[in-house]
PDB file of all heavy atoms in Angstrom:
ATOM      1  N   ASP A   1     -22.490 -52.546 -48.656  1.00  0.00           N
ATOM      2  CA  ASP A   1     -22.747 -53.950 -48.304  1.00  0.00           C
ATOM      3  C   ASP A   1     -22.503 -54.180 -46.810  1.00  0.00           C
ATOM      4  O   ASP A   1     -21.924 -53.348 -46.120  1.00  0.00           O
ATOM      5  CB  ASP A   1     -21.952 -54.913 -49.183  1.00  0.00           C
ATOM      6  CG  ASP A   1     -20.471 -54.996 -48.886  1.00  0.00           C
ATOM      7  OD1 ASP A   1     -20.094 -54.999 -47.704  1.00  0.00           O
ATOM      8  OD2 ASP A   1     -19.687 -55.083 -49.845  1.00  0.00           O
ATOM      9  N   ALA A   2     -22.948 -55.306 -46.321  1.00  0.00           N
ATOM     10  CA  ALA A   2     -22.940 -55.601 -44.885  1.00  0.00           C
ATOM     11  C   ALA A   2     -21.534 -55.586 -44.288  1.00  0.00           C
ATOM     12  O   ALA A   2     -21.338 -55.100 -43.179  1.00  0.00           O
ATOM     13  CB  ALA A   2     -23.604 -56.950 -44.623  1.00  0.00           C
ATOM     14  N   ARG A   3     -20.541 -56.092 -45.013  1.00  0.00           N
ATOM     15  CA  ARG A   3     -19.174 -56.108 -44.474  1.00  0.00           C
ATOM     16  C   ARG A   3     -18.643 -54.694 -44.268  1.00  0.00           C
ATOM     17  O   ARG A   3     -18.035 -54.393 -43.245  1.00  0.00           O
ATOM     18  CB  ARG A   3     -18.233 -56.872 -45.395  1.00  0.00           C
ATOM     19  CG  ARG A   3     -18.497 -58.376 -45.413  1.00  0.00           C
ATOM     20  CD  ARG A   3     -17.595 -59.036 -46.402  1.00  0.00           C
ATOM     21  NE  ARG A   3     -17.930 -58.485 -47.731  1.00  0.00           N
ATOM     22  CZ  ARG A   3     -17.298 -58.772 -48.841  1.00  0.00           C
ATOM     23  NH1 ARG A   3     -16.276 -59.593 -48.817  1.00  0.00           N
ATOM     24  NH2 ARG A   3     -17.656 -58.249 -49.991  1.00  0.00           N
ATOM     25  N   GLU A   4     -18.899 -53.828 -45.249  1.00  0.00           N
ATOM     26  CA  GLU A   4     -18.443 -52.445 -45.123  1.00  0.00           C
ATOM     27  C   GLU A   4     -19.191 -51.728 -44.004  1.00  0.00           C
ATOM     28  O   GLU A   4     -18.613 -50.919 -43.280  1.00  0.00           O
ATOM     29  CB  GLU A   4     -18.622 -51.699 -46.442  1.00  0.00           C
ATOM     30  CG  GLU A   4     -17.673 -52.181 -47.526  1.00  0.00           C
ATOM     31  CD  GLU A   4     -17.940 -51.527 -48.857  1.00  0.00           C
ATOM     32  OE1 GLU A   4     -19.049 -51.001 -49.061  1.00  0.00           O
ATOM     33  OE2 GLU A   4     -17.034 -51.537 -49.699  1.00  0.00           O
ATOM     34  N   LEU A   5     -20.469 -52.031 -43.858  1.00  0.00           N
ATOM     35  CA  LEU A   5     -21.264 -51.421 -42.794  1.00  0.00           C
ATOM     36  C   LEU A   5     -20.722 -51.833 -41.427  1.00  0.00           C
ATOM     37  O   LEU A   5     -20.511 -50.989 -40.555  1.00  0.00           O
ATOM     38  CB  LEU A   5     -22.730 -51.814 -42.922  1.00  0.00           C
ATOM     39  CG  LEU A   5     -23.655 -51.329 -41.807  1.00  0.00           C
ATOM     40  CD1 LEU A   5     -23.654 -49.813 -41.721  1.00  0.00           C
ATOM     41  CD2 LEU A   5     -25.070 -51.846 -42.029  1.00  0.00           C
ATOM     42  N   LYS A   6     -20.472 -53.124 -41.236  1.00  0.00           N
ATOM     43  CA  LYS A   6     -19.932 -53.594 -39.956  1.00  0.00           C
ATOM     44  C   LYS A   6     -18.576 -52.974 -39.675  1.00  0.00           C
ATOM     45  O   LYS A   6     -18.271 -52.591 -38.545  1.00  0.00           O
ATOM     46  CB  LYS A   6     -19.828 -55.121 -39.933  1.00  0.00           C
ATOM     47  CG  LYS A   6     -21.162 -55.800 -39.741  1.00  0.00           C
ATOM     48  CD  LYS A   6     -20.995 -57.293 -39.609  1.00  0.00           C
ATOM     49  CE  LYS A   6     -22.331 -57.955 -39.372  1.00  0.00           C
ATOM     50  NZ  LYS A   6     -22.202 -59.388 -39.130  1.00  0.00           N
ATOM     51  N   ARG A   7     -17.760 -52.851 -40.699  1.00  0.00           N
ATOM     52  CA  ARG A   7     -16.439 -52.255 -40.529  1.00  0.00           C
ATOM     53  C   ARG A   7     -16.566 -50.792 -40.096  1.00  0.00           C
ATOM     54  O   ARG A   7     -15.889 -50.337 -39.173  1.00  0.00           O
ATOM     55  CB  ARG A   7     -15.665 -52.359 -41.843  1.00  0.00           C
ATOM     56  CG  ARG A   7     -14.189 -52.158 -41.729  1.00  0.00           C
ATOM     57  CD  ARG A   7     -13.475 -52.516 -43.024  1.00  0.00           C
ATOM     58  NE  ARG A   7     -13.608 -53.925 -43.322  1.00  0.00           N
ATOM     59  CZ  ARG A   7     -13.958 -54.413 -44.505  1.00  0.00           C
ATOM     60  NH1 ARG A   7     -14.222 -53.627 -45.512  1.00  0.00           N
ATOM     61  NH2 ARG A   7     -14.047 -55.707 -44.692  1.00  0.00           N
ATOM     62  N   ALA A   8     -17.450 -50.037 -40.754  1.00  0.00           N
ATOM     63  CA  ALA A   8     -17.658 -48.628 -40.411  1.00  0.00           C
ATOM     64  C   ALA A   8     -18.231 -48.486 -38.998  1.00  0.00           C
ATOM     65  O   ALA A   8     -17.818 -47.607 -38.234  1.00  0.00           O
ATOM     66  CB  ALA A   8     -18.576 -47.966 -41.432  1.00  0.00           C
ATOM     67  N   LEU A   9     -19.178 -49.342 -38.655  1.00  0.00           N
ATOM     68  CA  LEU A   9     -19.750 -49.296 -37.307  1.00  0.00           C
ATOM     69  C   LEU A   9     -18.702 -49.622 -36.254  1.00  0.00           C
ATOM     70  O   LEU A   9     -18.665 -48.995 -35.192  1.00  0.00           O
ATOM     71  CB  LEU A   9     -20.927 -50.265 -37.190  1.00  0.00           C
ATOM     72  CG  LEU A   9     -22.209 -49.849 -37.913  1.00  0.00           C
ATOM     73  CD1 LEU A   9     -23.212 -50.998 -37.929  1.00  0.00           C
ATOM     74  CD2 LEU A   9     -22.813 -48.619 -37.264  1.00  0.00           C
ATOM     75  N   ALA A  10     -17.829 -50.577 -36.543  1.00  0.00           N
ATOM     76  CA  ALA A  10     -16.771 -50.937 -35.595  1.00  0.00           C
ATOM     77  C   ALA A  10     -15.832 -49.759 -35.363  1.00  0.00           C
ATOM     78  O   ALA A  10     -15.462 -49.471 -34.220  1.00  0.00           O
ATOM     79  CB  ALA A  10     -15.991 -52.152 -36.110  1.00  0.00           C
ATOM     80  N   VAL A  11     -15.469 -49.067 -36.425  1.00  0.00           N
ATOM     81  CA  VAL A  11     -14.587 -47.904 -36.277  1.00  0.00           C
ATOM     82  C   VAL A  11     -15.289 -46.809 -35.493  1.00  0.00           C
ATOM     83  O   VAL A  11     -14.709 -46.206 -34.588  1.00  0.00           O
ATOM     84  CB  VAL A  11     -14.129 -47.379 -37.658  1.00  0.00           C
ATOM     85  CG1 VAL A  11     -13.383 -46.061 -37.520  1.00  0.00           C
ATOM     86  CG2 VAL A  11     -13.265 -48.410 -38.367  1.00  0.00           C
ATOM     87  N   LYS A  12     -16.563 -46.575 -35.802  1.00  0.00           N
ATOM     88  CA  LYS A  12     -17.319 -45.538 -35.083  1.00  0.00           C
ATOM     89  C   LYS A  12     -17.397 -45.875 -33.593  1.00  0.00           C
ATOM     90  O   LYS A  12     -17.196 -45.004 -32.738  1.00  0.00           O
ATOM     91  CB  LYS A  12     -18.720 -45.404 -35.669  1.00  0.00           C
ATOM     92  CG  LYS A  12     -19.541 -44.337 -34.988  1.00  0.00           C
ATOM     93  CD  LYS A  12     -20.933 -44.234 -35.569  1.00  0.00           C
ATOM     94  CE  LYS A  12     -21.749 -43.236 -34.763  1.00  0.00           C
ATOM     95  NZ  LYS A  12     -23.150 -43.294 -35.099  1.00  0.00           N
ATOM     96  N   MET A  13     -17.673 -47.128 -33.270  1.00  0.00           N
ATOM     97  CA  MET A  13     -17.766 -47.521 -31.867  1.00  0.00           C
ATOM     98  C   MET A  13     -16.403 -47.390 -31.170  1.00  0.00           C
ATOM     99  O   MET A  13     -16.333 -46.963 -30.021  1.00  0.00           O
ATOM    100  CB  MET A  13     -18.300 -48.953 -31.738  1.00  0.00           C
ATOM    101  CG  MET A  13     -19.793 -49.043 -32.003  1.00  0.00           C
ATOM    102  SD  MET A  13     -20.440 -50.686 -31.637  1.00  0.00           S
ATOM    103  CE  MET A  13     -20.308 -51.436 -33.247  1.00  0.00           C
ATOM    104  N   ALA A  14     -15.332 -47.742 -31.872  1.00  0.00           N
ATOM    105  CA  ALA A  14     -13.992 -47.607 -31.287  1.00  0.00           C
ATOM    106  C   ALA A  14     -13.678 -46.139 -31.019  1.00  0.00           C
ATOM    107  O   ALA A  14     -13.141 -45.797 -29.967  1.00  0.00           O
ATOM    108  CB  ALA A  14     -12.946 -48.230 -32.210  1.00  0.00           C
ATOM    109  N   LEU A  15     -14.022 -45.265 -31.955  1.00  0.00           N
ATOM    110  CA  LEU A  15     -13.805 -43.833 -31.752  1.00  0.00           C
ATOM    111  C   LEU A  15     -14.623 -43.306 -30.580  1.00  0.00           C
ATOM    112  O   LEU A  15     -14.229 -42.366 -29.911  1.00  0.00           O
ATOM    113  CB  LEU A  15     -14.161 -43.048 -33.013  1.00  0.00           C
ATOM    114  CG  LEU A  15     -13.186 -43.152 -34.175  1.00  0.00           C
ATOM    115  CD1 LEU A  15     -13.777 -42.511 -35.419  1.00  0.00           C
ATOM    116  CD2 LEU A  15     -11.861 -42.486 -33.823  1.00  0.00           C
ATOM    117  N   SER A  16     -15.773 -43.921 -30.350  1.00  0.00           N
ATOM    118  CA  SER A  16     -16.642 -43.496 -29.257  1.00  0.00           C
ATOM    119  C   SER A  16     -16.229 -44.081 -27.910  1.00  0.00           C
ATOM    120  O   SER A  16     -16.832 -43.783 -26.893  1.00  0.00           O
ATOM    121  CB  SER A  16     -18.090 -43.884 -29.562  1.00  0.00           C
ATOM    122  OG  SER A  16     -18.535 -43.213 -30.721  1.00  0.00           O
ATOM    123  N   GLY A  17     -15.212 -44.956 -27.921  1.00  0.00           N
ATOM    124  CA  GLY A  17     -14.680 -45.475 -26.664  1.00  0.00           C
ATOM    125  C   GLY A  17     -15.024 -46.915 -26.329  1.00  0.00           C
ATOM    126  O   GLY A  17     -14.630 -47.413 -25.285  1.00  0.00           O
ATOM    127  N   ASN A  18     -15.774 -47.590 -27.188  1.00  0.00           N
ATOM    128  CA  ASN A  18     -16.064 -49.000 -26.929  1.00  0.00           C
ATOM    129  C   ASN A  18     -14.787 -49.825 -27.065  1.00  0.00           C
ATOM    130  O   ASN A  18     -13.937 -49.516 -27.890  1.00  0.00           O
ATOM    131  CB  ASN A  18     -17.104 -49.541 -27.920  1.00  0.00           C
ATOM    132  CG  ASN A  18     -18.449 -48.910 -27.750  1.00  0.00           C
ATOM    133  OD1 ASN A  18     -18.688 -47.822 -28.262  1.00  0.00           O
ATOM    134  ND2 ASN A  18     -19.334 -49.567 -27.040  1.00  0.00           N
ATOM    135  N   ILE A  19     -14.686 -50.886 -26.268  1.00  0.00           N
ATOM    136  CA  ILE A  19     -13.526 -51.764 -26.378  1.00  0.00           C
ATOM    137  C   ILE A  19     -13.819 -52.864 -27.398  1.00  0.00           C
ATOM    138  O   ILE A  19     -14.977 -53.144 -27.720  1.00  0.00           O
ATOM    139  CB  ILE A  19     -13.131 -52.360 -25.009  1.00  0.00           C
ATOM    140  CG1 ILE A  19     -14.277 -53.177 -24.406  1.00  0.00           C
ATOM    141  CG2 ILE A  19     -12.667 -51.274 -24.060  1.00  0.00           C
ATOM    142  CD1 ILE A  19     -13.882 -53.924 -23.142  1.00  0.00           C
ATOM    143  N   ASN A  20     -12.753 -53.476 -27.906  1.00  0.00           N
ATOM    144  CA  ASN A  20     -12.892 -54.471 -28.978  1.00  0.00           C
ATOM    145  C   ASN A  20     -13.854 -55.594 -28.627  1.00  0.00           C
ATOM    146  O   ASN A  20     -14.636 -56.034 -29.473  1.00  0.00           O
ATOM    147  CB  ASN A  20     -11.524 -55.047 -29.334  1.00  0.00           C
ATOM    148  CG  ASN A  20     -10.635 -54.035 -30.002  1.00  0.00           C
ATOM    149  OD1 ASN A  20     -11.085 -52.981 -30.434  1.00  0.00           O
ATOM    150  ND2 ASN A  20      -9.364 -54.345 -30.087  1.00  0.00           N
ATOM    151  N   HIS A  21     -13.799 -56.070 -27.398  1.00  0.00           N
ATOM    152  CA  HIS A  21     -14.674 -57.171 -26.998  1.00  0.00           C
ATOM    153  C   HIS A  21     -16.152 -56.761 -27.102  1.00  0.00           C
ATOM    154  O   HIS A  21     -16.980 -57.528 -27.599  1.00  0.00           O
ATOM    155  CB  HIS A  21     -14.332 -57.628 -25.580  1.00  0.00           C
ATOM    156  CG  HIS A  21     -15.154 -58.775 -25.103  1.00  0.00           C
ATOM    157  ND1 HIS A  21     -14.980 -60.053 -25.591  1.00  0.00           N
ATOM    158  CD2 HIS A  21     -16.171 -58.840 -24.221  1.00  0.00           C
ATOM    159  CE1 HIS A  21     -15.857 -60.854 -25.003  1.00  0.00           C
ATOM    160  NE2 HIS A  21     -16.583 -60.145 -24.164  1.00  0.00           N
ATOM    161  N   GLU A  22     -16.468 -55.561 -26.646  1.00  0.00           N
ATOM    162  CA  GLU A  22     -17.850 -55.066 -26.742  1.00  0.00           C
ATOM    163  C   GLU A  22     -18.282 -54.948 -28.197  1.00  0.00           C
ATOM    164  O   GLU A  22     -19.385 -55.355 -28.558  1.00  0.00           O
ATOM    165  CB  GLU A  22     -17.974 -53.679 -26.095  1.00  0.00           C
ATOM    166  CG  GLU A  22     -17.797 -53.645 -24.616  1.00  0.00           C
ATOM    167  CD  GLU A  22     -17.755 -52.226 -24.077  1.00  0.00           C
ATOM    168  OE1 GLU A  22     -17.340 -51.290 -24.799  1.00  0.00           O
ATOM    169  OE2 GLU A  22     -18.137 -52.060 -22.913  1.00  0.00           O
ATOM    170  N   ILE A  23     -17.414 -54.383 -29.020  1.00  0.00           N
ATOM    171  CA  ILE A  23     -17.729 -54.193 -30.439  1.00  0.00           C
ATOM    172  C   ILE A  23     -17.999 -55.530 -31.113  1.00  0.00           C
ATOM    173  O   ILE A  23     -18.976 -55.679 -31.849  1.00  0.00           O
ATOM    174  CB  ILE A  23     -16.586 -53.442 -31.150  1.00  0.00           C
ATOM    175  CG1 ILE A  23     -16.472 -52.021 -30.587  1.00  0.00           C
ATOM    176  CG2 ILE A  23     -16.800 -53.413 -32.662  1.00  0.00           C
ATOM    177  CD1 ILE A  23     -15.211 -51.278 -31.014  1.00  0.00           C
ATOM    178  N   SER A  24     -17.146 -56.521 -30.854  1.00  0.00           N
ATOM    179  CA  SER A  24     -17.329 -57.826 -31.500  1.00  0.00           C
ATOM    180  C   SER A  24     -18.639 -58.479 -31.071  1.00  0.00           C
ATOM    181  O   SER A  24     -19.314 -59.110 -31.879  1.00  0.00           O
ATOM    182  CB  SER A  24     -16.144 -58.748 -31.210  1.00  0.00           C
ATOM    183  OG  SER A  24     -16.109 -59.115 -29.850  1.00  0.00           O
TER     184      SER A  24
END
């Protein structure tokens, strides 16, 4: 579902070095 997808994408982006503000 969309919530789980956004959560997984946020973790992937954080692991890749994106900052929280960019991810949001």
Side-chain angles (χ1 to χ4, degrees):
D1 74 41
R3 290 176 298 176
E4 291 175 340
L5 176 60
K6 284 185 178 185
R7 197 170 295 132
L9 287 170
V11 172
K12 181 181 175 192
M13 285 187 267
L15 286 171
S16 297
N18 294 82
I19 60 173
N20 291 346
H21 182 72
E22 292 173 332
I23 295 169
S24 68

